[in-house]
Amino acid sequence: MADLCPVEKNKEYIMSVTDIGNDGEGIGHIEGFAVFVKDALPGEKIRVKITKANKKLAYGRLMEIIEHSEYRTEPECPVFKRCGGCSLQHLSYEAQLDFKTKKVKDALMRIGGFKNPQVKDAFGMDKPYFYRNKAQFPVRKGNQGVDIGFYAKRSHDIVNIDSCMIQNSINDKVIKIVREYITEENIEPYDEISGKGLIRHIVTRIGHVTGEVIVCIVVNGSSIPKKNKLVEKLLCIDGIKGILLNVNKKNTNVILSDITKVLWGRDYIIDYIGDIKFQISINSFYQVNPVQTNFLYSRAMELAGLTGNENVLDIYCGIGTISLFLARKAKKVIGVEIVEKAIEDAKRNAKLNNINNAEFIAGPAEKIISEVYSNGFMADVVIVDPPRKGCDINVINTIIEMMPKRVVYVSCDPSTLARDLKILSDNGYSIGEAEPVDQFCHTTHVETVVLMSRVQK
Ligand SMILES: C[S@@+](CC[C@H](N)C(=O)[O-])C[C@H]1O[C@@H](n2cnc3c(N)ncnc32)[C@H](O)[C@@H]1O
């Protein structure tokens, strides 16, 4: 190992930082060996103390910044250093966007094998704060009362907060009320190690256009004490439409179970993207940044190039957001999604908007798409918007067999995007300009939309 690893634990080195890792760490090289250092930024020369090293890479602690990056900024959030929610608030927003553009381009070159991929500058927000419409706050017993906040970086310790710079500020009130209720009623918060304690998480959803709010308390039990007291307190939240209890008794990192009870009101919010109205349940996927989503979907719509005569397949459709966006300009749209509740929402959303040419099917895309194809549905345009792991290979293979004119790929992970585009490109599709959209400001994540056009039969 000594031959392979040129750095030693507890020793200090001088290093230049050249890149940013997935968790926002600065990455540099010592004798060609990669070293990851939290809080360091590209363009900086630093003194680093090695804290951990293995055969492939090392981690170090930032001891001193010898030369500062011109893009280093003072984070707006007072708990940025400890909290695992954001990872780039110490980098100017312009530099964050440049990093995301580069991240997409690098992945397309390195993983996709594209020689000179065209990538637009990442599309950012005018005001990249308070943008999220969904919050999930873990609740734990703290040293001085109840801790409600976010997990610390690379840990399940809670960073206790009253407010968050990327969440809707309505959440500040929700946190305050639930904290008061837990304290006054002397309720035991959940303990991950023993699996004991009642209150695990607070989950909220807030409509960007409508201002509608639902608050869901996730419990390791079937009920909560003094339910009416909590409901009464939460009713003073502006826009409150539902107060829910999610029953999750499993010792798991999955936040919500399938069992949700309504304590008051209804179990969904209504919101709009463009002029389309959506009903959104607590469990369904819904893009977290409504302002950027509007732009993202408009780009997807434009790239789809619909004239009104096309059959469209929307794979990984969630609650039918993109499907319904496109349906007005298509002959027919079929949306496929694995979460049944989301498909129920999608069907309801079609009715809500008087859209009659959209059909939704619940099930794993890898199975459903080949059935749809065998039943004779030939898509002219396919939209895919998979989770981070990208498209299942059976989905890609069926798309290739189906030979749609255009495939619009919406992705939240440049690596799997590049992997999948390479397969399409090897099978008769040419890549268009990739368009990164900053859906997740102050984190390292980036959304991208790319058009693949069929060039041969
Ligand atoms: C990134 S989201 C996109 C949702 C939707 N297009 C939108 O913009 O709101 C990915 C969706 O894929 C769904 N999904 C995950 N695995 C799936 C599978 N094997 N088959 C079908 N859908 C799946 C998830 O439940 C989620 O709704």
Side-chain angles (χ1 to χ4, degrees), residues 284-287 293 296-297 314-322 336-339 342 363-366 384-389 392 395 410 412 447:
S284 299
F285 178 90
Y286 187 66
Q287 298 281 357
T293 298
L296 179 76
Y297 288 178
D314 178 14
I315 311 178
Y316 308 99
C317 72
I319 60 167
T321 37
I322 300 181
V336 179
E337 159 65 44
I338 201 162
V339 175
E366 48 280 19
V384 293
D385 184 5
R388 281 195 196 146
K389 65 179 179 182
D392 185 280
V395 169
V410 180
C412 53
E447 195 85 7

Side-chain angles (χ1 to χ4, degrees), residues 313 315 368-370 372-374 376-382 396-405 429 454:
L313 202 47
I315 311 178
I368 304 289
I369 297 308
S370 46
V372 167
Y373 178 48
S374 313
F377 186 81
M378 298 293 285
D380 302 294
V381 176
V382 168
I396 298 273
N397 285 339
T398 310
I399 294 173
I400 290 166
E401 274 181 54
M402 213 183 258
M403 295 199 303
K405 286 193 204 84
Y429 285 83
R454 201 176 82 218

Side-chain angles (χ1 to χ4, degrees), residues 12-189:
E12 291 188 6
Y13 299 83
I14 305 294
M15 179 180 94
S16 293
V17 182
T18 51
D19 208 347
I20 298 177
N22 281 338
D23 293 327
E25 334 84 316
I27 307 175
H29 290 86
I30 296 174
E31 293 176 36
F33 194 79
V35 182
F36 288 66
V37 186
K38 190 169 145 317
D39 298 331
L41 287 174
E44 294 187 329
K45 192 172 177 185
I46 60 167
R47 185 160 58 85
V48 55
K49 185 175 193 172
I50 302 299
T51 50
K52 194 173 159 189
N54 61 36
K55 285 183 187 169
K56 289 191 176 150
L57 49 90
Y59 295 92
R61 182 174 308 126
L62 179 63
M63 305 303 285
E64 184 192 358
I65 303 175
I66 299 163
E67 284 168 22
H68 282 74
S69 160
E70 60 184 298
Y71 303 109
R72 180 173 280 278
T73 54
E74 195 52 43
E76 296 272 339
C77 175
V79 294
F80 166 73
K81 279 209 161 175
R82 288 183 293 130
C83 180
C86 293
S87 47
L88 292 180
Q89 271 198 34
H90 57 327
L91 183 63
S92 75
Y93 189 55
E94 291 69 28
Q96 288 184 29
L97 294 177
D98 287 348
F99 157 71
K100 292 181 185 192
T101 307
K102 181 174 172 295
K103 184 172 175 172
V104 172
K105 189 161 190 171
D106 286 353
L108 290 174
M109 287 167 71
R110 196 170 40 84
I111 301 167
F114 298 99
K115 288 223 164 61
N116 185 22
Q118 299 304 299
V119 179
K120 274 194 181 157
D121 289 344
F123 180 81
M125 296 188 80
D126 291 340
K127 291 185 189 142
Y129 291 99
F130 308 109
Y131 61 85
R132 283 187 62 104
N133 56 15
K134 178 184 183 185
Q136 307 186 128
F137 303 109
V139 180
R140 299 290 180 269
K141 188 172 179 174
N143 292 334
Q144 290 159 346
V146 189
D147 281 352
I148 301 176
F150 291 103
Y151 294 123
K153 291 189 167 92
R154 295 221 185 101
S155 123
H156 268 210
D157 293 344
I158 304 285
V159 177
N160 196 32
I161 60 159
D162 293 319
S163 165
C164 169
M165 297 294 300
I166 62 168
Q167 292 288 353
N168 190 309
S169 51
I170 286 178
N171 287 297
D172 304 357
K173 220 167 179 183
V174 176
I175 291 176
K176 185 168 180 285
I177 290 170
V178 179
R179 199 193 298 279
E180 261 171 30
Y181 160 76
I182 294 175
T183 311
E184 284 166 13
E185 298 310 319
N186 207 9
I187 298 170
E188 191 75 4

